[in-house]
Amino acid sequence: MNLILFGPPAAGKGTQAKRLVEERGFIQLSTGDMLRAARTSGTELGLRVAAVMDAGSLVSDEIVIALIEEQLQLHAGAPGFIFDGFPRTVAQAEALDALLASHDGGIDCVIRLVVDDSQLTARIARRFAEQGRADDNPETFVKRLAAYNAQTAPLLPYYTARGLIREVDGMASIDEVAAAIDAVLAVPA
Ligand code: AMP
């Protein structure tokens, strides 16, 4: 089963992905986590992407597609993948389809976590106070939300046309969102 957790920054994708990893043994592929790890370890890639991330913009398709390709190869044979924060552009979605097809697979389901902008802004303000992640500051967050609306939201029609989108109310509690995701996954696509 290959699953995309889809939604704007701070919709709860990472939280729900981690639970699915624990409960189902899926592999979480978060491009945001991979890029942050590259920065922390000071690799050449990390240095290249730092300014783009801090500006709240999207890193190039080429870079994130290469990261995903590497992880798919590394975990070939896993029971399932959860794509978290990827794809974020139509070009990334097309590349993902091609990569999965080359492993005899495809996307089975896109779970869209629906959260309104005021709730996202409140969550990010809290996360910024708690964790101090540079790109969570209010000015950068506005840019990340704009990038989502301009470049990532156009993926909704891409997956809707293929009947893959399942909407979940992301404003509910973490446990309620988890239960709603489990209910979606219990129904064959
Ligand atoms: P995230 O933790 O998923 O919100 O990602 C943090 C930042 O990493 C984003 O604001 C982008 O700068 C970059 N990033 C993460 N995933 C992608 C992606 N799929 N495409 C382009 N940039 C990404």
Side-chain angles (χ1 to χ4, degrees):
M1 149 96 50
N2 296 316
L3 178 72
I4 295 174
L5 283 177
F6 190 88
K13 303 184 296 292
T15 303
Q16 294 299 330
K18 286 186 175 61
R19 183 189 63 88
L20 288 165
V21 167
E22 278 168 27
E23 293 178 8
R24 297 178 187 242
F26 290 172
I27 302 287
Q28 176 192 8
L29 297 184
S30 159
T31 40
D33 285 351
M34 293 173 208
L35 293 166
R36 278 185 289 278
R39 290 184 66 167
T40 307
S41 53
T43 61
E44 194 223 318
L45 171 71
L47 296 173
R48 269 165 63 203
V49 297
V52 178
M53 293 174 77
D54 288 346
S57 305
L58 294 188
V59 169
S60 76
D61 289 335
E62 192 193 351
I63 288 177
V64 290
I65 291 166
L67 288 172
I68 289 287
E69 183 171 14
E70 188 179 275
Q71 291 296 314
L72 286 176
Q73 275 164 9
L74 197 65
H75 298 287
F81 290 99
I82 306 168
F83 297 94
D84 161 12
F86 179 93
R88 262 173 151 103
T89 64
V90 172
Q92 291 177 23
E94 289 170 349
L96 180 60
D97 284 341
L99 285 171
L100 292 176
S102 71
H103 289 260
D104 293 327
I107 292 297
D108 299 291
C109 182
V110 179
I111 295 183
R112 178 187 180 197
L113 297 176
V114 182
V115 181
D116 69 32
D117 285 3
S118 62
Q119 168 93 241
L120 295 174
T121 306
R123 285 183 188 184
I124 282 286
R126 210 162 44 233
R127 192 165 80 182
F128 186 49
E130 285 166 8
Q131 299 174 18
R133 212 175 105 175
D135 61 348
D136 280 345
N137 78 67
E139 298 78 39
T140 310
F141 184 66
V142 169
K143 293 188 191 140
R144 290 168 65 201
L145 211 47
Y148 170 80
N149 288 322
Q151 291 164 277
T152 307
L155 283 176
L156 288 169
Y158 180 87
Y159 288 117
T160 301
R162 292 159 52 183
L164 291 175
I165 299 268
R166 303 286 178 273
E167 289 200 350
V168 164
D169 175 12
M171 313 260 281
S173 70
I174 291 175
D175 287 346
E176 285 165 332
V177 174
I181 291 174
D182 286 343
V184 164
L185 296 181
V187 181

